[in-house]
Amino acid sequence: DHHVNYGSGSGLQDRVAFVQNDPSQYDASIRLADLQVSDTGTYQCRVKKNTVAVHEVIVTVQEKPANPQCWTEGELIEGSSILLRCYSR
């Protein structure tokens, strides 16, 4: 039907668009811009020409990790060993 159904309250209206201007030309791919963790979910593509074809895709968006905090343990002496420790939430 040449349109994207965003669902209620999804916040996708400004971030989803067809890849090709005219999806009736055999490419109904969509692009999700500026992915957010809240975009995680099941997405359904429903294409109707002579028959209806439906395909579901599960999208999982993970948060990028926080910057690690790193420090050394041990003396910085040539030939000795030190420990580099890092921690990230």
Side-chain angles (χ1 to χ4, degrees):
D1 295 336
H2 294 89
H3 74 278
V4 175
N5 181 349
Y6 304 102
S8 60
S10 66
L12 292 172
Q13 289 82 350
D14 297 329
R15 300 186 293 120
V16 176
F18 285 109
V19 173
Q20 300 295 324
N21 289 337
D22 184 1
S24 68
Q25 297 301 310
Y26 306 103
D27 186 355
S29 301
I30 60 170
R31 174 176 288 122
L32 273 66
D34 188 27
L35 284 176
Q36 301 171 11
V37 174
S38 60
D39 294 334
T40 294
T42 302
Y43 291 78
Q44 184 182 80
C45 179
R46 182 180 171 152
V47 179
K48 180 178 154 185
K49 268 296 202 193
N50 298 327
T51 60
V52 175
V54 178
H55 184 76
E56 288 188 351
V57 176
I58 298 172
V59 174
T60 304
V61 181
Q62 298 179 338
E63 270 187 70
K64 70 178 185 177
N67 289 331
Q69 298 172 340
C70 298
W71 65 95
T72 60
E73 290 181 2
E75 282 193 66
L76 294 172
I77 301 173
E78 186 176 341
S80 67
S81 297
I82 64 166
L83 205 54
L84 175 61
R85 295 197 181 264
C86 293
Y87 170 80
S88 181
R89 291 183 195 185

